[in-house]
Amino acid sequence: KNEVEQSPQNLTAQEGEFITINCSYSVGISALHWLQQHPGGGIVSLFMLSSGKKKHGRLIATINIQEKHSSLHITASHPRDSAVYICAVRPTRVPRISGGSNYKLTFGKGTLLTVNP
Amino acid sequence: SAVISQKPSRDICQRGTSLTIQCQVDSQVTMMFWYRQQPGQSLTLIATANQGSEATYESGFVIDKFPISRPNLTFSTLTVSNMSPEDSSIYLCSVEYGARPYEQYFGPGTRLTVT
């Protein structure tokens, strides 16, 4: 079982709709990141959360540490919001295997969002 | 915030050759990370590069295949050596920046196709 699960895997919406993408994780974390990846491949960091809620423009991200769950909401969706949205967590304890980094993020598989005009 | 640029943005290479990818950050950062994203997959950490020390490689990645340089606090290179079609991926540079818990910034990626 992946430590970070996202749902849905794919989401198609009509312009103007309210969108929610969910992320559940199974480990203790120090932070959770929401990332946006456009078809060209580049990744933009949308939010970093360790508690509560953040808002930036039409995007809202919430996190419930007790329930190990986060949501990304997009209000008044637009075709330019079409992208892959990735949830990533930074575990509080990363097992040190021989070699390896203590700093690694664990990524969800992403949610492909398509917003049609 | 930290702004990251990568060169090249994409390349098509022949099997058996090597490609060096450059990553430049507009701010001094301690930790730089190299990720690989194979087609249809999520990101996988290749290695962590600290300035002035050897890179730390994740399980399944070795220095001979993916040598990394980190000559200063704003620059790093990743070389993909003796390439095979399985190396066709997007390679992304990333940095931590700011105060704990650190913001994570990513470069635009290098899309590599090996024929």
Side-chain angles (χ1 to χ4, degrees), chain B residues 20 31 63 67 100 102 115:
Chain B
T20 295
M31 308 296 296
I63 188 170
R100 286 178 187 262
Y102 302 107
T115 60

Side-chain angles (χ1 to χ4, degrees), chain A residues 30-66:
Chain A
S30 60
L32 181 146
H33 299 260
W34 280 104
L35 310 170
Q36 180 191 55
Q37 185 172 34
H38 280 279
I43 291 178
V44 175
S45 180
L46 298 175
F47 294 104
M48 183 188 66
L49 295 161
S50 50
S51 65
K53 175 180 175 178
K54 287 189 176 179
K55 183 176 189 293
H56 186 261
R58 295 179 295 106
L59 273 60
I60 303 166
T62 64
I63 188 168
N64 185 318
I65 296 293
Q66 287 72 29

Side-chain angles (χ1 to χ4, degrees), chain B residues 23-34:
Chain B
C23 176
Q24 180 77 51
V25 189
D26 70 343
S27 304
Q28 292 186 339
V29 294
T30 303
M31 308 296 296
M32 293 180 80
F33 307 88
W34 287 99

Side-chain angles (χ1 to χ4, degrees), chain A residues 30-31 33 35 37 39-45 47-48 50 54 86 90 98-101 103-105 107-110, chain B residues 10 31 33 35 37 42-45 48 56-59 90 92 96 99 101-109 111:
Chain A
S30 60
H33 299 260
L35 310 170
Q37 185 172 34
I43 291 178
V44 175
S45 180
F47 294 104
M48 183 188 66
S50 50
K54 287 189 176 179
I86 302 169
R90 186 181 305 282
S98 109
S101 167
Y103 304 95
K104 58 192 292 183
L105 294 175
F107 294 86
K109 293 187 176 181
Chain B
R10 58 176 61 226
M31 308 296 296
F33 307 88
Y35 288 90
Q37 187 179 34
S42 191
L43 283 78
T44 301
L45 181 64
T48 303
T56 303
Y57 288 83
E58 296 300 304
S59 176
I90 298 172
L92 293 127
E96 291 182 338
Y102 302 107
E103 293 278 359
Q104 193 93 11
Y105 295 94
F106 290 84
R111 188 180 292 271

Side-chain angles (χ1 to χ4, degrees), chain B:
Chain B
S1 66
V3 178
I4 304 173
S5 59
Q6 280 185 238
K7 289 183 186 178
S9 58
R10 58 176 61 226
D11 207 341
I12 301 172
C13 300
Q14 291 202 338
R15 180 195 300 259
T17 62
S18 297
L19 176 72
T20 295
I21 302 167
Q22 299 179 6
C23 176
Q24 180 77 51
V25 189
D26 70 343
S27 304
Q28 292 186 339
V29 294
T30 303
M31 308 296 296
M32 293 180 80
F33 307 88
W34 287 99
Y35 288 90
R36 180 175 76 180
Q37 187 179 34
Q38 293 177 303
Q41 302 297 313
S42 191
L43 283 78
T44 301
L45 181 64
I46 297 171
T48 303
N50 224 348
Q51 193 267 335
S53 63
E54 294 286 328
T56 303
Y57 288 83
E58 296 300 304
S59 176
F61 297 97
V62 294
I63 188 170
D64 290 346
K65 175 69 175 177
F66 297 101
I68 288 171
S69 79
R70 182 80 204 272
N72 59 50
L73 291 172
T74 63
F75 187 79
S76 178
T77 66
L78 170 76
T79 299
V80 186
S81 304
N82 188 24
M83 287 185 283
S84 68
E86 292 71 37
D87 294 319
S88 298
S89 295
I90 298 172
Y91 292 85
L92 293 127
C93 172
S94 176
V95 305
E96 291 182 338
Y97 187 72
R100 286 178 187 262
Y102 302 107
E103 293 278 359
Q104 193 93 11
Y105 295 94
F106 290 84
T110 296
R111 188 180 292 271
L112 172 61
T113 303
V114 183
T115 60

